[in-house]
Amino acid sequence: MDKIKAGVIGTGFIGPAHVEAVRRLGFVEVVALAASSLEKAKMKAEQLDIPHAYGDYREMLLDPTIQVVHNCTPNYLHHEISMEIIKAGKHVLSEKPLAVSCAESFELLNLAREKRIVHGVNFNYRQFPSVQNLQHMVENGSIGSVHLIHGSYLQDWLLNDTDYDWRLDPKLGGKTRAVADIGSHWCDTVQFVTGKRITSVFADMTTVLPIRKKRISADSEDYEEYKVETEDHASVLLRFHDGTKGVFTVSQISAGRKNRLSFEMNGSLGSAFWNQEEPEKLWVGHREKSNDLLLADSTLFTPEARSSIHHPGGHNEGWPDALKNMMLNFYSYIKEGKDPLKDKPNFATFEDGHASMCVIDAILESHEQEKWVEVKTS
């Protein structure tokens, strides 16, 4: 069988990560790369051994042999570019957040359904083996009825006032930064694991460093002051559709925390805790016996989760492997000719991306109005 041909738009950190993950599948070939300039595209395509480079992604979309396109661009371009990909009749895998507003994500979801293309959002944390295993444990009733969900996603890469990135600019990243960038991952992961939808929120967002120092140029030691309009950290109270309560905190200024997405759920029969920085460990808490530390090993997993782990126990699988699982599930769905309107996917879709975007919009509204806000999905 001929390999599925794919193109990637975007040459920052995540674009090449997509390329690497896709190549690990064996039945997909990345044939084209598009960037903001032809020079940048050619340089990165040569580094990654990709045959075709484009300075305009629209030219790449004209190639009839390309079946799938990855949208790995900054947030503000997600809606525009994904719309063009869908209109070109290509399957699309977008980085998160799906858009910068619930209205935009709703438009994308509707167009994807209308064109019957396969659509995915790279919420790859749900693809970690231990997270997959926990999802089935919850589904099978191992920890009973979940009544409390809490956790955080903590980073430190913007701790200093001299730390700067395009995500600080609302014109490029959207009105929210920490919530959209990492809070979206947290919300998707816990909703996936528990099967519960977030239906209302009460948010408090804080900008700790209202003025930052931005380098005048990449090779300069001189800085100019930059006014920050997005949050450095936020805490959000949650209500789920079945009455379950929750709370989470996101921060990009927590020294020593690199990518610590963690969550705990407390149920009627037990508790469970997972931390992305130690992804091979799942803590399971009990009241009347010793607690368990379940290590990632297919022989210890539920039967439904065993396919998510690919190495023997002790050979710990991490973020790149979760990304590979995302790509494996997405491309296998395409390879098997499944219908996105009929066949249930085992990856996050535009429907999940839209739901996440609506939670983000509600969090923004809640912070601005200082009250509980219902999550509206239409």
Side-chain angles (χ1 to χ4, degrees), residues 171-337:
K171 295 176 182 175
L172 303 180
K175 294 181 180 179
T176 166
R177 177 182 10 114
V179 169
D181 193 30
I182 55 180
S184 59
H185 270 305
W186 193 93
C187 291
D188 177 77
T189 304
V190 299
Q191 289 181 111
F192 166 74
V193 169
T194 63
K196 301 174 185 286
R197 290 179 291 104
I198 297 170
T199 53
S200 57
V201 298
F202 194 113
D204 181 29
M205 304 164 71
T206 304
T207 304
V208 175
L209 297 171
I211 302 294
R212 289 179 180 265
K213 298 172 184 176
K214 178 183 176 183
R215 286 184 186 271
I216 294 175
S217 63
D219 55 355
S220 173
E221 293 299 322
D222 296 323
Y223 294 86
E224 60 183 354
E225 287 192 343
Y226 178 83
K227 184 180 178 181
V228 178
E229 300 178 48
T230 53
E231 78 282 2
D232 292 316
H233 68 71
S235 292
V236 185
L237 291 171
L238 305 170
R239 291 174 180 161
F240 294 82
H241 76 277
D242 63 348
T244 301
K245 303 293 179 67
V247 60
F248 74 94
T249 295
V250 289
S251 169
Q252 295 175 322
I253 55 166
S254 296
R257 301 302 192 187
K258 306 305 177 183
N259 268 288
R260 196 179 190 275
L261 183 155
S262 64
F263 62 87
E264 180 171 324
M265 52 194 62
N266 306 123
S268 57
L269 299 179
S271 299
F273 170 82
W274 183 77
N275 163 29
Q276 195 269 158
E277 290 186 342
E278 298 178 290
E280 76 285 1
K281 299 175 182 177
L282 177 65
W283 177 87
V284 181
H286 308 284
R287 177 178 175 180
E288 296 173 348
K289 64 176 182 177
S290 298
N291 299 330
D292 298 319
L293 189 62
L294 179 60
L295 298 180
D297 186 325
S298 62
T299 63
L300 304 176
F301 275 14
T302 64
E304 304 95 329
R306 286 171 188 161
S307 63
S308 67
I309 191 166
H310 305 283
H311 302 298
H315 293 301
N316 299 327
E317 299 179 29
W319 188 89
D321 303 289
L323 185 59
K324 177 202 168 185
N325 277 344
M326 171 69 205
M327 302 305 170
L328 177 61
N329 292 334
F330 180 77
Y331 276 97
S332 294
Y333 192 91
I334 294 171
K335 182 181 178 182
E336 293 164 11

Side-chain angles (χ1 to χ4, degrees), residues 28 44 76 134 166 310 312:
V28 182
K44 185 59 73 170
Y76 79 104
L134 178 56
W166 63 262
H310 305 283

Side-chain angles (χ1 to χ4, degrees), residues 22-38:
V22 166
R23 283 175 168 169
R24 293 174 66 188
L25 305 183
F27 61 93
V28 182
E29 181 182 4
V30 181
V31 298
L33 182 68
S36 55
S37 70
L38 183 58

Side-chain angles (χ1 to χ4, degrees), residues 127-145:
Q127 301 290 351
F128 276 89
S130 289
V131 173
Q132 290 277 318
N133 189 50
L134 178 56
Q135 189 269 331
H136 290 293
M137 289 172 62
V138 172
E139 193 174 62
N140 296 339
S142 296
I143 64 172
S145 177

Side-chain angles (χ1 to χ4, degrees), residues 9 34-35 54-62 80-81 84:
I9 306 172
Y54 297 90
D56 186 339
Y57 71 89
R58 296 175 185 86
E59 294 179 19
M60 186 177 79
L61 296 181
L62 296 174
E80 174 189 343
I81 291 178
E84 294 293 331

Side-chain angles (χ1 to χ4, degrees), residues 145-158:
S145 177
V146 175
H147 51 74
L148 177 62
I149 304 164
H150 50 101
S152 60
Y153 195 152
L154 310 177
Q155 300 175 323
D156 69 359
W157 66 290
L158 291 174

